[in-house]
């Protein structure tokens, strides 16, 4: 009755973070979903931490969404209708809050992946993950 080995293998994804530079984002796949991993700059961390909680639609402090302030790990699926927001590439539109923007219906996310404007009802989800070393994580 336990899951098959191939099913268990797909349930987790290990990611080497060593090549990721400050200010850079990467996308990896986990359970068929895009996961956005961003090594945030000091300014992005400051912006995310200084938000007045009363203005948030889905009230969640930045420190509750990260294990280490510089590393943000999010499921890259808009919580409105399941689109994939843009903002991973340096040339992408990042929305009014310098995070991610869903061009399909106009949801704007901040540097913590929190919904700030538009129809999305919830923040971008944080998947279960753990640091298995200083430079790698296991998602799932």
């Amino acid at each position: 009755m336990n899951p098959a080995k191939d099913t268990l293998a797909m349930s987790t994804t290990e990611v080497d973070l060593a090549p990721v530079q400050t200010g850079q984002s990467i996308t990896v796949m986990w359970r068929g979903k895009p996961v956005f991993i961003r090594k945030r700059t000091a300014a992005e961390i400051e912006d995310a931490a200084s938000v007045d909680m009363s203005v948030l639609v889905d009230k969640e402090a930045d420190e509750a969404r990260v294990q280490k302030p510089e590393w943000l790990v999010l499921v890259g699926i808009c919580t409105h209708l399941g689109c994939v927001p843009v903002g991973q590439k340096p040339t992408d539109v990042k929305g009014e809050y310098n995070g991610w923007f869903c061009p399909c219906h106009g949801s704007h996310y901040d540097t913590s992946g929190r919904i700030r404007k538009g129809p999305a009802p919830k923040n971008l989800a944080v998947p279960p993950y753990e640091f298995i070393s200083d430079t790698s994580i296991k998602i799932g």
Side-chain angles (χ1 to χ4, degrees):
M1 295 303 244
N2 290 325
K5 286 184 180 181
D6 61 334
T7 301
L8 287 174
M10 288 179 57
S11 70
T12 62
T13 300
E14 289 189 18
V15 182
D16 178 14
L17 302 174
V20 183
Q21 301 297 310
T22 301
Q24 182 184 6
S25 295
I26 63 169
T27 303
V28 299
M29 295 303 286
W30 169 68
R31 294 185 179 175
K33 300 174 189 172
V35 173
F36 298 165
I37 301 172
R38 180 159 181 84
K39 187 170 187 183
R40 301 187 298 178
T41 65
E44 290 170 331
I45 296 166
E46 172 74 26
D47 286 348
S50 66
V51 171
D52 177 3
M53 296 294 286
S54 69
V55 302
L56 296 176
V57 174
D58 184 9
K59 295 170 182 9
E60 195 173 11
D62 181 61
E63 57 267 13
R65 298 179 53 76
V66 296
Q67 293 179 21
K68 295 182 179 181
E70 66 272 22
W71 292 107
L72 182 64
V73 181
L74 306 167
V75 175
I77 297 177
C78 181
T79 59
H80 178 231
L81 291 176
C83 308
V84 177
V86 296
Q88 285 294 89
K89 297 176 186 171
T91 57
D92 282 350
V93 172
K94 297 186 184 305
E96 292 180 24
Y97 300 91
N98 202 32
W100 292 266
F101 174 67
C102 187
C104 302
H105 301 101
S107 292
H108 296 252
Y109 297 91
D110 68 10
T111 58
S112 188
R114 297 173 296 199
I115 182 63
R116 299 293 298 277
K117 182 179 179 182
K122 302 293 252 170
N123 300 329
L124 294 176
V126 176
Y129 73 96
E130 65 179 319
F131 280 85
I132 54 178
S133 76
D134 287 342
T135 59
S136 64
I137 61 170
K138 180 169 74 171
I139 304 168

